[in-house]
Amino acid sequence: MTKRKICIVTGTRAEYGLLYRIMKEIQADDELDLQLIATGMHLSPEFGLTYKQIEEDGFIIDEKIEMLLSSDTPVAIAKSMGIATLGFAEAFQRLKPDILVLLGDRFEIFSAAQTALVMRIPVAHISGGELTEGAIDESIRHSLTKMSHIHFTANEEYTRRVIQLGEQPDRVFNVGDTGVENIRKISLQTKDELSAFFGWELAEYFLITFHPATLETRMAEEQVKNLLFSLNSFPDYKIIFTKSNADTDSRRINELIDEYTESHPERVKTFFSLGQIRYLSTMKYCALVIGNSSSGIVEAPVFSKPTINIGDRQKGRLKADSIIDCAPTINDITEAIQLALSVEFQNGLNQLELKYEGQTTSTDIKDYLKKIDLSNIIKKEFYDINR
């Protein structure tokens, strides 16, 4: 029997965490052949060479595509996308996948999708229909939807939005969110285990991840400085940073975080990547999640943790009542943190209505990939919702 070849591309630590369980499901199925391509931040010493964690987890990386230039300017990002396209063309020619699986909205994933489009490889896209109006991710995500043939969405609203973009309803599957599924299923570390890792007695601390809002010009430095200044108003709280992704202006963000860490060694620690289990464990015990990462929107509410969502990067996403949106100014960030720490706000966290769920997400995705009919799937017919 010929196995169906399912090729997964991963370029970042967070994305890999969301794909991990799906990869394990495919790997364990005798009728499927898992192919894996690592690219982007995974292969960069600057971002911790996280491909090593993938291999330690028991996966074989079939192709490694070097594509990041040593710069975070818009020109460098655009050139990196071109380099990635060349690499994906060669990799797909060698691997000849039956289905390419892509998650999210990053520029390296866009390069993979456009290459697959030209090479007539069916694409299954995870997390379509979502909105992030402050970042180029918004346009990339919707473009990925149009270049894809199978769609796995996180909830009904996102499902409707993918269909609104003209995708056939019978190829759009609401499977829930893999990040929430991870929380439901994995064994997290204890507070004592985390304390031993961090070298701190973990009491009250903030977990912070801040990425550039890539549709704003030269605003990242000012916004991070405002965040760091606001943190000085809460000296009783320790701070754990995870660094920014490889986006435009990310290096300056990470430089400022490093400088702040060096000047406050008694209460601040910074990491490129904590890994999936340690990151979620750290979130479970923190006082607040702060920044503009999607994990503060999707995963933090599952732990009933407040999130301070700064600026417009995540504008448009469905949000639970535990999330406080604020402008990237000193006063607004400080006031948002004060509100989140207040007794009244904390008491309201006990009965949150979650906007994202996930119980059997990875198994469902694997089953659809295994069973879906691929004959004539490349020729897409636009679904007109007005017809």
Side-chain angles (χ1 to χ4, degrees), residues 19-38:
L19 289 167
Y20 170 85
R21 194 170 295 277
I22 300 170
M23 292 161 56
K24 283 294 185 183
E25 288 280 347
I26 295 170
Q27 190 180 53
D29 195 305
D30 292 337
E31 297 179 33
L32 297 175
D33 180 15
L34 175 65
Q35 299 175 328
L36 184 57
I37 298 176

Side-chain angles (χ1 to χ4, degrees), residues 158 296-302 304-307 309 317-325 345 348-349 351-356:
Y158 296 157
I297 308 297
V298 178
E299 284 97 334
V302 182
S304 298
K305 294 297 178 181
T307 295
N309 180 53
R317 280 196 193 273
L318 294 176
K319 300 185 182 82
D321 292 339
S322 57
I323 296 162
I324 302 171
D325 294 325
F345 192 86
L349 299 174
Q351 294 182 322
L352 283 178
E353 178 185 348
L354 297 179
K355 302 298 183 181
Y356 304 86

Side-chain angles (χ1 to χ4, degrees), residues 213-262:
T214 47
L215 287 179
E216 298 173 354
T217 304
R218 295 186 297 275
M219 295 293 291
E221 180 170 356
E222 178 184 350
Q223 293 178 6
V224 173
K225 285 181 176 178
N226 290 343
L227 167 60
L228 298 176
F229 191 91
S230 298
L231 295 175
N232 292 333
S233 298
F234 305 92
D236 295 334
Y237 289 83
K238 289 183 167 63
I239 299 167
I240 297 171
F241 284 103
T242 57
K243 287 191 174 182
S244 174
N245 282 335
D247 288 315
T248 303
D249 297 331
S250 63
R251 282 177 171 81
R252 185 55 183 151
I253 290 177
N254 291 337
E255 287 172 1
L256 290 168
I257 290 172
D258 284 339
E259 291 170 7
Y260 190 80
T261 303
E262 290 172 6

